[in-house]
Amino acid sequence: MIVRDALRDAEQRLAAAGVDTPRVDAELLVAHVAGTTRSGIYAQLDREVDGALEPLLRRRESREPLAYVLGEWGFRRLVLKVDERALVPRPETEIVVERCLGLLADTPSPRVLDIGVGSGAIALALKDERPDASVTGIDVSRSALSLASENAERLGLDVDLREGSLDAAREGWDLVVSNPPYVGSLEGLQPELRYEPEEALIGVGMHEAIATSAATRFLVLEVGAGQAGDIADALREAGYEDVRITADLAGIDRVVEGRR
Ligand SMILES: C[S@@+](CC[C@H](N)C(=O)[O-])C[C@H]1O[C@@H](n2cnc3c(N)ncnc32)[C@H](O)[C@@H]1O
């Protein structure tokens, strides 16, 4: 089958499977197999597509996240390896990194802790964009840590990765950042989430626990839709000042930060 027909066929199958963005997903899958970019495929519409497309298309039709099917995903300036060992890095989390960089602008060689490092997205992006920072990432999931260290090695970014939980927050940091699990239940949410590790998604109370236990000058937390107000209050109660909420590109209040 040639690229032009493969695109049309893939788009129709993905739309029938309920994928939100069937055209974009079809383009990215065909581009991946053809070894080119999304725009590059339009210069090769009559080229043959090989059999590698079909198994990838089937995985996406079953609603496996596109990032897992492709095996890599862009996050800020990095391309990260991604698989079922850790959450797919989300575009809204790029704003978490943005806020961390803003708060640290006047702090030379900052010490930074990322709680729940997952694929390494936040920790590695911070190290990439603030090379003078000492960045530590912790996670309770050994699988996630193995993926984060593969990413660190591939990207040549020197971050300290350790197994651990909130205790590390007490060690004393310039900035503690976390995108903790904050979903109550997967009921009614997109089927793609079933492929991601449950311990990365489902969780209650971690924001508050981090806010009360962290010994840090700056705290930056990613929150779920509708959670920002309560978590901002929790930061104020825990003694943080200049508490600020930042919305994501969809207009959802997504990042809560404070300083003390
Ligand atoms: C929502 S994911 C975030 C992953 C990554 N930081 C990102 O933003 O893409 C949450 C991560 O927190 C980890 N986690 C869950 N409970 C934890 C705990 N008590 N202490 C440390 N990490 C935890 C999970 O294993 C998961 O990797």
Side-chain angles (χ1 to χ4, degrees), residues 87 89 93 115-118 121-122 139-141 144 164-165 179-181 199-200 206:
L87 190 94
T93 307
I115 300 176
V117 72
I122 298 173
D139 208 294
V140 286
S141 160
S165 187
N179 172 18
E199 72 270 22
M206 251 183 92

Side-chain angles (χ1 to χ4, degrees), residues 1-15 21-32 34 36-47 49 53 57:
M1 194 186 291
I2 59 170
V3 166
R4 183 192 318 276
D5 298 336
L7 277 174
R8 195 188 48 237
D9 177 59
E11 182 182 1
Q12 282 170 358
R13 284 171 58 180
L14 295 176
T21 51
R23 183 69 188 180
V24 174
D25 287 34
E27 288 171 346
L28 287 167
L29 288 168
V30 172
H32 181 77
T36 182
T37 59
R38 229 178 111 194
S39 52
I41 47 178
Y42 288 96
Q44 313 181 19
L45 288 172
D46 294 318
R47 171 183 159 174
V49 179
L53 180 63
L57 195 50

Side-chain angles (χ1 to χ4, degrees), residues 76 106 130 166 258:
R76 290 192 66 93
D106 297 327
R130 274 298 300 267
L166 304 194

Side-chain angles (χ1 to χ4, degrees), residues 109-211:
S109 307
R111 295 185 67 244
V112 176
L113 174 68
D114 176 8
I115 300 176
V117 72
S119 63
I122 298 173
L124 293 169
L126 286 172
K127 182 66 186 172
D128 177 48
E129 294 181 55
R130 274 298 300 267
D132 63 327
S134 302
V135 182
T136 297
I138 58 155
D139 208 294
V140 286
S141 160
R142 284 189 190 178
S143 316
L145 285 167
S146 70
L147 180 60
S149 50
E150 283 171 33
N151 273 319
E153 196 165 328
R154 273 159 52 109
L155 295 163
L157 292 167
D158 183 18
V159 296
D160 177 27
L161 296 167
R162 329 183 204 142
E163 191 176 343
S165 187
L166 304 194
D167 282 352
R170 297 183 222 279
E171 287 170 22
W173 305 91
D174 291 304
L175 182 143
V176 170
V177 56
S178 186
N179 172 18
Y182 54 66
V183 176
S185 142
L186 299 185
E187 190 84 24
L189 300 179
Q190 315 95 289
E192 279 82 354
L193 296 178
R194 291 190 317 255
Y195 285 85
E196 296 185 277
E198 206 172 287
E199 72 270 22
L201 292 164
I202 310 254
V204 180
M206 251 183 92
H207 298 105
E208 292 83 350
I210 293 170

